Amino acid sequence: MELNDAIKQLKAHGYKTTAKRKDMLTFFAVADGYRTAKDLIGYLEPMYEGISFDTVYRNLHLFNEVGVLETTELNGEKHFRFSCSHHHHHHFICKDCGKTKEIAVCPMDDVRHSLGGYEIEGHKFEIYGLCPVCQ
């Protein structure tokens, strides 16, 4: 997702695009992979002295709810990144730096056969480890 697409998505759901929200989205537009709320606060602090965790978390969850950000959990903490809704795929996620690499294979192709009679409504498949730089 691009920054302008994210802004359009917010507006389409009836939300205002404030300067603070644009700055938050800009952070994810340039981030390579998943990032935490702490990472975002570190980025925003110089611009918005004393920005609260509540403000950041509330907006992160809003962005996720409208489909701008996707989430995963690494080491017991929620991580966020721009949504990749242009096609179906899965990710390898580096546990150190949060960078992602797209995986072209989907395990659901095999799983559907073993779940005959079940209605599958969705799935998420992620592989965790260390990228070449972090090894």
Side-chain angles (χ1 to χ4, degrees):
M1 180 170 286
E2 300 282 329
L3 178 59
N4 290 332
D5 295 332
I7 291 169
K8 287 178 189 172
Q9 185 94 347
L10 275 179
K11 288 180 181 179
H13 283 86
Y15 293 100
K16 293 179 183 176
T17 310
T18 63
K20 196 177 291 181
R21 284 182 175 160
K22 283 183 183 176
D23 288 334
M24 289 178 178
L25 292 171
T26 298
F27 171 77
F28 288 102
V30 298
D32 184 13
Y34 283 94
R35 297 290 173 252
T36 65
K38 287 180 194 174
D39 295 332
L40 179 57
I41 287 173
Y43 171 79
L44 294 171
E45 275 270 313
M47 296 176 273
Y48 303 98
E49 188 176 328
I51 189 166
S52 71
F53 273 100
D54 184 51
T55 297
V56 169
Y57 279 109
R58 190 174 55 252
N59 280 284
L60 287 172
H61 290 287
L62 167 69
F63 296 158
N64 177 246
E65 187 179 299
V66 300
V68 171
L69 295 181
E70 58 187 45
T71 65
T72 194
E73 193 166 310
L74 292 170
N75 304 321
E77 186 175 14
K78 246 189 186 175
H79 287 63
F80 302 84
R81 68 171 268 143
F82 262 152
S83 291
C84 303
S85 57
H86 56 280
H87 66 283
H88 180 82
H89 65 278
H90 301 283
H91 292 115
F92 169 89
I93 304 168
C94 180
K95 290 172 47 177
D96 264 6
C97 69
K99 288 184 180 176
T100 62
K101 179 164 176 52
E102 189 174 308
I103 302 169
V105 68
C106 178
M108 290 305 293
D109 298 337
D110 294 328
V111 172
R112 285 186 205 287
H113 299 295
S114 64
L115 290 174
Y118 289 82
E119 182 178 330
I120 300 168
E121 295 181 354
H123 71 280
K124 185 174 185 176
F125 179 68
E126 299 172 334
I127 297 174
Y128 305 98
L130 298 175
C131 70
V133 174
C134 293
Q135 289 181 32

